[in-house]
């Protein structure tokens, strides 16, 4: 019997456990380790501060779901991944041994890299549902005395979509409350241009997002390095195309949400096992999602190492989006199944991106096949239907989690018809 351990229970970890269980016999054990008793649907976090959603609406209790599927669940925090001894140390002093490990932890949020950044500093966050709950309290106080708003992403960030979504959701909420005229809004980003998204743009995302910001009277600063944040004031250095200082900005605000850069979590970041992680603590994987040094370790999701799409004046990471992560999950599950059968891994994830970005009362959808250029398909579209589609997708994905399903057959058929598949 092999024990397959999945470390993490988010967008990557939970489907990974489901798909792994589907692909192996009952002779093998699937175990999930997570410090949280619940799954969180992170893409809906930007809806929490204006109270379009409550935090509880985005959570699903994991123990009953895993029990129904015959998956062991250990709700404890990992303190160290020890690949040389095939074990994971936990915060209660115990350890879990494994034959195969899939690291699906998501990232560590590196608020500490910019003074004053994050919930412990002077800006809000929607990276975690608990952060979004705190941001909802901040927003309620803000609405009693509205003023300037700054939203964006700092240098080194790789996940830009939620910043655009949060910006436009707040803009919509302000209009609904008839106070938009009292609120100057500025988008501050390390991207070289609006709509870059860490992907070099997808279709006409540059034109569509610039047009949306102009239409909503939102200013923007690109190639922006956030030096520090004090209460009510953000200090930003704008650089030119060569990375040299172009202009200093001191930007006042009464509410701000800035996405941080990511690193690997401490349990892997501090490991002494050479060859497991890159300098930022992300898991190194080959085309099969397997670590080249420790071949019984796979990794999926935001915690894997991917190089930037292109050279930019400021550090801009490559995002790992939802469907891209699902393709990693399928490849990893199939490859571990093959290894258990005595075969070599052969499946490669497609790394396609199919994204729905909510813009308050409208939205932008884009398809990139594959996500990282050059691409076979590049498509983007905007309209009110995207906003409605994202609401529908939230309900659909959370239903999949409750049912313990990774990819229903009808989903596979519909996406295949669109030219979107999980494996190459």
């Amino acid at each position: 019997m092999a024990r397959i351990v999945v470390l993490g229970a988010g967008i990557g970890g939970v489907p990974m456990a489901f798909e792994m269980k589907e692909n192996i016999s009952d002779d093998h054990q699937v175990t999930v380790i997570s410090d949280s008793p619940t799954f969180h649907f992170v893409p809906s976090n930007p809806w929490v501060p204006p109270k379009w959603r409550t935090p509880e609406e985005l959570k699903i209790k994991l123990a009953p779901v895993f029990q129904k599927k015959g998956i062991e669940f250990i709700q404890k925090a990992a303190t160290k991944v020890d690949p040389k001894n095939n074990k994971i140390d936990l915060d209660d002093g115990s350890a879990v041994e494994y034959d195969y490990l899939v690291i699906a932890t998501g990232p560590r949020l590196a608020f500490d890299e910019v003074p004053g950044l994050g919930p412990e500093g002077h800006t809000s966050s929607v990276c975690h549902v608990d952060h979004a709950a705190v941001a909802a309290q901040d927003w309620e106080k803000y609405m009693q005395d509205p003023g300037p708003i700054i939203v964006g992403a700092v240098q080194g960030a790789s996940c830009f979509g939620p910043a655009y979504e949060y910006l436009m959701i707040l803009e919509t909420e302000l209009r609904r409350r008839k106070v938009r005229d009292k609120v100057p809004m500025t988008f501050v980003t390390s991207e070289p241009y609006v709509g870059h998204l860490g992907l070099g743009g997808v279709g006409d995302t540059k034109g569509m997002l610039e047009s949306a910001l102009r239409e909503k009277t939102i200013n923007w600063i690109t190639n922006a390095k956030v030096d520090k944040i004090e209460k009510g004031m953000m200090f930003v250095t704008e650089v030119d195309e060569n990375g040299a200082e172009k202009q200093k900005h001191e930007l006042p605000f009464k509410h701000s949400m800035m996405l941080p850069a990511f690193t690997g979590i401490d349990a892997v970041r501090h490991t002494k096992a050479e060859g497991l992680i890159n300098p930022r603590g992300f898991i190194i994987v080959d085309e099969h999602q397997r670590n080249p040094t420790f071949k019984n370790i796979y990794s999926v999701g935001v915690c894997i190492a991917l190089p930037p799409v292109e050279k930019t004046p400021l550090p801009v990471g490559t995002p790992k989006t939802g469907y891209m992560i699902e393709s990693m999950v399928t490849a990893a599950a199939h490859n571990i199944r093959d290894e258990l059968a005595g075969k070599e891994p052969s499946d490669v994830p497609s790394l396609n991106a199919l994204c729905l970005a909510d813009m308050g009362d409208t939205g932008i959808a884009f398809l990139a096949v594959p996500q990282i250029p050059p691409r076979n398909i590049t498509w983007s579209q905007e309209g009110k239907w995207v906003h409605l589609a994202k609401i529908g997708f939230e309900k659909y994905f959370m239903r999949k989690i409750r049912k313990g399903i990774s990819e229903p057959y009808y989903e596979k058929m519909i996406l295949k018809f669109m030219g979107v598949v999980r494996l190459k």
Side-chain angles (χ1 to χ4, degrees), residues 167 214 345:
L167 177 76
R214 287 193 189 96

Side-chain angles (χ1 to χ4, degrees), residues 10 16 26-27 69 103 165 198:
M16 182 72 225
D26 289 336
D27 295 334
K69 302 299 291 187
I103 300 175
E165 290 188 297

Side-chain angles (χ1 to χ4, degrees), residues 2 6 23 29 42 91 94 195 234 266 280 300 306 339 345 369:
V6 179
N23 276 276
Q29 174 67 50
V42 174
D91 62 355
S94 64
M234 187 175 299
D266 288 347
R280 293 286 291 176
V300 301
L306 280 181
E339 285 206 68
V369 180

Side-chain angles (χ1 to χ4, degrees), residues 122 148 150 229-235 250-255:
H122 305 291
I150 301 174
I229 302 166
E230 296 177 353
K231 185 176 181 180
M233 187 68 71
M234 187 175 299
F235 298 84
E250 294 186 6
L251 307 173
F253 66 88
K254 284 196 172 181
H255 179 77

Side-chain angles (χ1 to χ4, degrees), residues 253-273:
F253 66 88
K254 284 196 172 181
H255 179 77
S256 177
M257 195 291 295
M258 297 293 292
L259 297 175
F262 296 159
T263 72
I265 68 165
D266 288 347
V268 296
R269 196 163 63 108
H270 297 152
T271 182
K272 303 297 183 183

Side-chain angles (χ1 to χ4, degrees), residues 19 81 91 106 166 170 175 196-197 239 320 351 355 374 410:
E19 195 149 346
V81 173
D91 62 355
Y166 189 68
L170 293 191
R175 281 190 285 113
H196 182 278
L197 302 172
V239 304
K320 295 97 172 181
L351 303 183
C355 295
Y410 49 84

